[in-house]
Amino acid sequence: MARVTTSDTVGDADRRQDGPGGPGCESSAGDEGGPPPLPRWQMRLRRFGYAARPRAGVRERLTPPFPAPDPRLGAVLGLGPELSLRLARWAAWGGPLLVALLAGALRFWQLGSPHAVIFDETYYAKDAWSLIHFGYEGTWPDNANERILGDPQRIPLSPEGSYVVHPTVGKWVIGLGEAVFGLDPFGWRFMTALLGTLSVLMLCRIGRRLFRSTALGCLAGALMAVDGLHFVMSRVALLDLVVMFWVLAAFGCLLVDRDRSRERLAARLPRAGTDAGDGSGAPLPHAAVGDRTRLGWRPWRLAAGVCLGLACATKWNGLYVLAAFGLLTVLWDVGARRTAGASRPVPAMLTRDAGPAFLSLPCVAVATYIASWTGWFATSGGYFRNWADEQGAAGPWGWLPGPLRSLWHYESEVYDFHVNLTSGHTYQSNPWSWLVLGRPVSYFYESPEAGSDGCTDKAEGCAREVLALGTPVLWWAACAALLYVAYRWLLRRDWRAGAILCGVAAGYLPWFLYQERTIFLFYAVVFLPFLCLGLAMAAGALTGPPGADDRRRTLGVVGVGVVGLLIVWNFVYFWPIYTGQTIPLGEWRHRMWLDSWI
């Protein structure tokens, strides 16, 4: 077994990124060189043998380096030194691409099956087709599904505007697949399968940047590739996978922005042995640099604002993520300025960074949201499109253009609908049960009799189901991993753990405000990528800290490997009820581990 290098563990990243004061908060030194004095509590604990963790330089704490390519894997495979080095360099992109290729092969396999309109596809697939052709959601008769799936196909779409309760971006995305492949199950599922595949690739790269480890990044992506909830949501034309894609893209953009802005701060710091900062010594914290430096043009944060606007324009729960990520990015700026030596990092952030952050995230997101309604604005047939014209210009908002007032009225009506949606549903669930998969959602179910649809069980018959169920071993392990991540954030002040918890909290906690509302477990797909990052972080810790001996490393790698194989086995075991395969009823019952899954 090849030895796992320290650069591929969380522990090594800790050593480079964390100081005794915590990530982003390590240094409060001013112009003088040398380490700042230890806090009083550390001085007291030294009497009992306490030793502070080794501290990296300010440059490494601002912008931790990526690990150098390690050619040992190529050597194990019998490659020469040059090919081994090329393989190591290729792995930074090659590894994520291979994981994404596997995820794509799984998601596109028999994508058109079941050949049916399942669950809420009855809304979004047809609304998407209407958007592509009219620019707004038209009206469909009650028997539209049968006529769409019939042979010959008939598409009974009326141009009369229909009342819909979700914004347009997710349906535009679904409509792109329909525009290319037609109004059939493969066509309306194509784009969600594509975004599901791309999200796995993004998570691999995001994990690599977060942990400074290609192995841990690929592990996070591979975990999401074999999660049942992500898999099923990638194969149905629903909106929540689209929300997850934009949220994950925004998180990745903010990570890149964090690195780029810290690089600018590090470049402005003076160096040891010089006054002007143009020497060759190590950078030193400097109060003037930390307090006064403007970080300039930050295109990655603007891109994050666009992505968050697209998330909100798919479903409104993106608003909570927008607020959480906005707070996260300015706190990162506070930490960067403190590490650079700012004497007053919070005021420095408020005067230098808060305004641009507000323009880049909320303002850009609002502009993106309004722009997503272009089709509705450009036509006259959409629901409530002419409401302002019918009401006249009376009222305090009469100065606004009529289309904007009409949109505001439409959105207020939709908000009332959502908050008052309390009608019962067979598969609704309370968010308290989501992390343990208490009540998954059945999207499709049939009971084929013997001799039909591949059923060979003459005694009991068969079952055919598509169940939106996360891979149980993965989710239950993620519950334990979240405890470790919380420990890393609360007691070790690890910024990476805080970022992961922020993603989970933004996608999960807001639903506790609406426990009386009709809500479903599949909403949890929005924060699933952060559960996978938490698992990867815990796996890195299990492989051992820097300097661990070979026995410790081997035990850690074996432990992680065993859990990983259990997750893969679990995904394979539930494959038939993820893909709607016909199986004997007895085998279906064996997969109903909890009574609440039925």
Side-chain angles (χ1 to χ4, degrees), residues 385-400:
R385 173 60 181 82
N386 301 310
W387 176 86
D389 296 335
E390 296 168 358
Q391 298 297 315
W397 302 102
W399 56 273
L400 282 175

Side-chain angles (χ1 to χ4, degrees), residues 352-368:
R352 307 289 183 184
D353 305 320
F358 181 78
L359 293 175
S360 300
L361 292 180
C363 292
V364 169
V366 169
T368 302

Side-chain angles (χ1 to χ4, degrees), residues 72-95:
R72 281 183 288 183
L73 176 60
V76 171
L77 298 176
L79 303 177
E82 184 177 350
L83 287 178
S84 297
L85 186 58
R86 287 184 181 178
L87 177 64
R89 291 172 177 168
W90 170 84
W93 270 103

Side-chain angles (χ1 to χ4, degrees), residues 277-530:
D278 56 356
S280 58
L284 298 175
H286 196 282
V289 172
D291 285 327
R292 302 174 189 170
T293 298
R294 292 190 181 276
L295 298 177
W297 172 249
R298 299 174 68 168
W300 284 102
R301 193 151 67 178
L302 283 171
V306 172
C307 291
L308 290 169
L310 292 172
C312 297
T314 302
K315 289 186 78 171
W316 280 1
N317 52 320
L319 286 169
Y320 296 104
V321 183
L322 171 62
F325 282 6
L327 179 62
L328 181 68
T329 188
V330 295
L331 289 179
W332 282 349
D333 288 342
V334 171
R337 292 187 178 277
R338 181 179 288 117
T339 303
S343 58
R344 302 177 65 197
V346 174
M349 179 277 295
L350 292 174
T351 56
R352 307 289 183 184
D353 305 320
F358 181 78
L359 293 175
S360 300
L361 292 180
C363 292
V364 169
V366 169
T368 302
Y369 183 90
I370 294 174
S372 71
W373 287 86
T374 298
W376 187 83
F377 285 129
T379 58
S380 59
Y383 202 84
F384 278 138
R385 173 60 181 82
N386 301 310
W387 176 86
D389 296 335
E390 296 168 358
Q391 298 297 315
W397 302 102
W399 56 273
L400 282 175
L404 285 179
R405 286 188 287 123
S406 296
L407 179 61
W408 180 263
H409 175 72
Y410 193 174
E411 299 291 58
S412 66
E413 293 290 317
V414 169
Y415 177 79
D416 289 339
F417 168 85
H418 281 303
V419 297
N420 294 308
L421 181 61
T422 57
S423 57
H425 192 282
T426 304
Y427 292 102
Q428 71 182 70
S429 59
N430 191 287
W432 287 107
S433 69
W434 289 358
L435 288 178
V436 294
L437 304 175
R439 182 60 170 164
V441 180
S442 180
Y443 287 163
F444 173 83
Y445 185 88
E446 286 183 348
S447 300
E449 298 180 355
S452 63
D453 290 334
C455 180
T456 59
D457 191 327
K458 297 181 180 179
E460 292 186 299
C462 297
R464 188 182 180 207
E465 182 173 31
V466 176
L467 186 66
L469 171 71
T471 303
V473 174
L474 188 154
W475 280 72
W476 297 340
C479 292
L482 282 179
L483 296 177
Y484 170 74
V485 173
Y487 153 75
R488 290 291 310 178
W489 179 55
L490 291 171
L491 300 182
R492 299 294 295 275
R493 301 176 67 186
D494 190 325
W495 73 270
R496 296 160 300 164
I500 293 169
L501 290 176
C502 178
V504 174
Y508 183 33
L509 295 184
W511 292 111
F512 286 91
L513 301 174
Y514 304 101
Q515 294 186 62
E516 299 301 322
R517 186 184 181 276
T518 308
I519 53 180
F520 303 91
L521 182 145
F522 62 80
Y523 297 169
V525 75
V526 173
F527 62 84
L528 171 64
F530 302 96

Side-chain angles (χ1 to χ4, degrees), residues 129 132 174-184 186-188 190-191:
W129 183 263
I132 292 295
I174 294 169
L176 292 177
E178 295 174 339
V180 176
F181 299 103
L183 187 61
D184 59 32
F186 182 87
W188 62 63
F190 176 84
M191 286 303 298

